[in-house]
Amino acid sequence: MMEETPGVVLAVYAHPDDADVACGGTLARWAKAGSAVHLLVCTDGGKGTTDPTIVPTDLARARAGELESSSALIGLTSVENLGFPDGELTDSEDFRRTLVDRVRSVRPEVVCGHDPTAVFFGQAYFNHRDHRIAGAALLDAVAPAAALPHYFPDTGPAHQVSTVLLSATLEPDEWVDITDTIDTKASAVECHRTQFAGQDGWAGEAVRRRAAEEGRRAGVTYAEGFRRLTLGA
Ligand SMILES: [Zn+2]
């Protein structure tokens, strides 16, 4: 169980709803405790619909509004969307340079992101390509790139991240107690109406059910699970 509250946090996720679903309770807990919590979203989310009549740019605009609402609830210090087209993220040098640039400017102790090794979740879901690519590029950006000065030297002084927390992992080994922020997380996830349409309260119920499962593993009421890496120790 992770008890410490980091001073500065950078969360990097592929789509506008991902951080709230993955670690919204943790980010809200830290923001409430005084951490500076920054979110970097990689894509505009414009393809996240089954409706062929929705125009992707319109969906992207709607999702930006949803993210603004959820970020206010979580208490984020800053939110930036890199604006890559949904589903088209590539593990390019340019993408890694941008991630290194943000790590070096935000200078976080803790970085949160997707676990790129998590591919198959049960027999009915496999991980979104953008999640896998964002997770892999983030790891490469954190170490060695951001930590060593000769990588992307035009992006500012090197910075060593202390802790990486990977969410939506198949191998959680660290948990954060989100009992005090489960309501905030549920409300934040429900802001993403284009993604979680349905009966009122359905998304919030799903969030509680999932957090209760992790809570049972961690010995608290509600939790979020992560794979933890401790770097530069
Ligand atoms: Zn996503």
Side-chain angles (χ1 to χ4, degrees):
M1 184 70 70
M2 184 169 177
E3 300 290 352
E4 66 262 40
T5 300
V8 183
V9 180
L10 175 63
V12 179
Y13 284 89
H15 305 115
D17 59 310
D18 290 340
D20 292 324
V21 172
C23 60
T26 297
L27 299 184
R29 175 191 164 124
W30 289 339
K32 209 168 138 190
S35 308
V37 182
H38 302 267
L39 172 61
L40 186 61
V41 176
C42 302
T43 78
D44 64 11
K47 295 193 188 77
T49 180
T50 55
D51 183 346
T53 68
I54 293 179
V55 178
T57 48
D58 290 344
L59 179 58
R61 202 172 311 118
R63 295 191 69 177
E66 293 169 349
L67 177 60
E68 206 179 306
S69 305
S70 74
S71 300
L73 291 178
I74 299 287
L76 297 181
T77 304
S78 79
V79 190
E80 181 190 2
N81 192 320
L82 295 176
F84 287 101
D86 192 1
E88 297 177 34
L89 217 47
T90 56
D91 188 354
S92 64
E93 187 179 332
D94 191 46
F95 182 34
R96 287 194 303 279
R97 178 198 308 277
T98 302
L99 295 178
V100 169
D101 177 80
R102 298 311 189 273
V103 168
R104 286 180 176 171
S105 58
V106 170
R107 310 188 81 72
E109 294 154 54
V110 173
V111 163
C112 301
H114 299 279
D115 183 341
T117 71
V119 180
F120 301 105
F121 293 84
Q123 292 173 306
Y125 178 73
F126 53 88
N127 209 356
H128 194 296
R129 168 185 172 81
D130 287 338
H131 298 176
R132 289 181 274 125
I133 289 170
L138 177 62
L139 286 180
D140 291 336
V142 163
L148 297 180
H150 296 293
Y151 286 85
F152 307 113
D154 56 336
T155 63
H159 175 71
Q160 176 69 60
V161 170
S162 312
T163 302
V164 176
L165 295 177
L166 300 175
S167 51
T169 181
L170 297 168
E171 295 162 85
D173 55 12
E174 181 71 290
W175 286 267
V176 174
D177 183 348
I178 62 161
T179 306
D180 290 343
T181 52
I182 185 69
D183 292 340
T184 306
K185 172 171 179 154
S187 301
V189 169
E190 287 190 340
C191 288
H192 300 278
R193 292 180 188 285
T194 61
Q195 302 306 295
F196 306 110
Q199 293 154 353
D200 270 356
W202 170 83
E205 272 317 299
V207 163
R208 283 191 177 79
R209 209 165 40 240
R210 183 81 194 88
E213 272 170 38
E214 290 301 324
R216 271 192 291 280
R217 302 173 80 168
V220 296
T221 308
Y222 294 111
E224 285 169 340
F226 301 92
R227 180 205 288 255
R228 180 179 182 151
L229 304 162
T230 304
L231 307 176

